[in-house]
Amino acid sequence: MLKIALHPIYKYPLPEGHRFPMLKYELLPQQLLYEGTCSKNNFFEPEIPSDKHILRVHTQDYFQNLKQLTLDKRAARKIGFPLSNILVEREVIIADGTIKASEFALQNGIAMNIAGGTHHAYTNRGEAFCLLNDQAIGARYLQQKKLADKILIVDLDVHQGNGTAEIFKNDNSVFTFSMHGKNNYPFKKEISDLDIALENDANDETYLNLLYKTLPKLIKQEQPDFIYYLCGVDVIATDKLGKLGMTIDGYKQRDQFVLETCKTNKTPVMCCMGGGYSPDIKTIINAHANTFRLAQDLFY
């Protein structure tokens, strides 16, 4: 059965007019249930994990400042959400969702988190709606438990996974691959193990041809035991923060190729939804829902 991390805390209350579409964490599971893609049994509720899992990735000082709400104003402003105890609790629960979904992926071939993909969180700071790097925390968990040795992170959000690149910059056991907009945030990029930077308005053909050439070769080269996939929907042309030119169908082809490639190679994959900022929330929900529909069709 496809297992999906979901918790009521994912939908964090934001000031009116905030650009982050927090409503999607409520609407997406409702849509999946309504259309019959998922049943209530597909969803599991993550909890607050042990601090030790967080501290394998993030510094003690940073994590303590988060928990005690003592980040300096500039650092808090860079995160982009109003800092609160509930927000920090939300982030650690998202991380637990990714940890537990990683274990389900090992059992079933695939598992998902409705939230997560917080790839702008560094070892010692957060930014751009990301406080704790959930996929990095999941990777370290698997390695510490000796459930995986070599891990590949496939980050296809439109924004470079700068925090993920920094966390694993001197670590050959985790390969970081980011395919993103060249002229998009972050404007000062980190160096992933493999970065592919796309020009503005890159269309389906340009994007998919690059991915088709790259991913199978990368899996053959690195031979990962486990793959984390960040499947952001902010690559589509309607996205306010995206700058690329993909259609929803092109996005669906992208996810189908990634999931099929993981399945063909018998490599467990854990998926996080990442970004999506189209003006119409229905566009975001439909694009995200396609990934869950594909997971059900391909694996079950």
Side-chain angles (χ1 to χ4, degrees):
M1 175 181 284
L2 178 65
K3 300 303 286 185
I4 304 163
L6 175 66
H7 193 288
I9 205 170
Y10 284 6
K11 188 193 171 194
Y12 178 68
L14 291 172
E16 192 172 343
H18 196 287
R19 65 181 178 174
F20 190 88
M22 197 65 72
L23 185 61
K24 73 179 184 178
Y25 299 120
E26 179 181 347
L27 295 181
L28 178 56
Q30 288 178 359
Q31 176 62 32
L32 295 172
L33 289 168
Y34 172 76
E35 69 188 29
T37 295
C38 297
S39 72
K40 288 184 178 178
N41 292 333
N42 289 109
F43 298 100
F44 71 92
E45 196 165 287
E47 303 167 318
I48 294 177
S50 167
D51 286 1
K52 67 184 179 183
H53 301 315
I54 312 295
L55 294 173
R56 289 194 186 100
V57 169
H58 296 285
T59 64
Q60 179 87 36
D61 283 351
Y62 171 57
F63 190 42
Q64 287 305 313
N65 281 330
L66 267 185
K67 290 201 294 183
Q68 294 165 14
L69 306 183
T70 53
L71 285 180
D72 68 64
K73 287 183 180 178
R74 184 170 179 272
R77 197 163 51 246
K78 287 192 78 171
I79 286 170
F81 289 144
L83 200 57
S84 70
N85 288 315
I86 296 294
L87 180 67
V88 177
E89 183 180 345
R90 174 185 186 268
E91 292 293 310
V92 298
I93 287 174
I94 287 172
D96 188 62
T98 293
I99 287 170
K100 287 190 168 73
S102 301
E103 293 185 315
F104 281 122
L106 286 167
Q107 296 169 28
N108 302 328
I110 189 169
M112 310 177 90
N113 196 341
I114 287 278
T118 44
H119 60 163
H120 299 310
Y122 284 66
T123 51
N124 63 350
R125 69 181 190 272
E127 59 182 57
F129 313 139
C130 301
L131 284 74
L132 301 171
N133 196 309
D134 66 294
Q135 291 194 332
I137 291 165
R140 285 286 182 247
Y141 174 86
L142 291 182
Q143 290 179 327
Q144 189 273 329
K145 292 286 186 181
K146 302 195 183 309
L147 297 171
D149 292 322
K150 184 63 181 276
I151 291 170
L152 170 62
I153 296 180
V154 177
D155 186 340
L156 301 187
D157 190 274
V158 81
H159 305 105
Q160 192 215 30
N162 54 343
T164 309
E166 180 266 339
I167 289 166
F168 296 117
K169 64 183 175 184
N170 296 315
D171 185 347
N172 292 330
S173 72
V174 179
F175 190 101
T176 55
F177 165 41
S178 180
M179 187 163 161
H180 51 263
K182 179 180 178 181
N183 303 308
N184 212 320
Y185 180 92
F187 301 107
K188 181 182 182 300
K189 308 284 194 289
E190 300 292 340
I191 300 173
S192 310
D193 293 305
L194 175 61
D195 285 300
I196 296 179
L198 296 150
E199 298 291 346
N200 288 4
D201 303 315
N203 61 16
D204 292 352
E205 183 179 10
T206 299
Y207 189 106
L208 293 170
N209 283 342
L210 277 168
L211 184 63
Y212 294 163
K213 280 189 252 180
T214 303
L215 185 60
K217 192 186 301 181
L218 191 54
I219 292 174
K220 185 176 181 182
Q221 170 191 306
E222 296 301 318
Q223 295 289 303
D225 304 309
F226 196 92
I227 290 175
Y228 283 100
Y229 178 35
L230 206 174
C231 34
V233 301
D234 44 11
V235 294
I236 61 179
T238 55
D239 197 275
K240 291 182 288 187
L241 306 181
K243 300 185 181 179
L244 297 189
M246 292 189 77
T247 65
I248 285 189
D249 186 57
Y251 164 84
K252 186 176 180 181
Q253 289 178 58
R254 181 199 77 175
D255 278 9
Q256 181 168 347
F257 178 73
V258 173
L259 298 186
E260 283 179 341
T261 302
C262 292
K263 186 180 181 188
T264 299
N265 284 278
K266 297 182 170 60
T267 309
V269 57
M270 188 271 147
C271 306
C272 292
M273 295 302 100
Y277 307 93
S278 291
D280 187 346
I281 190 76
K282 287 186 285 189
T283 303
I284 299 171
I285 299 305
N286 185 42
H288 277 315
N290 277 335
T291 311
F292 292 86
R293 295 166 188 146
L294 286 165
Q296 288 283 29
D297 289 347
L298 292 169
F299 286 83
Y300 297 98

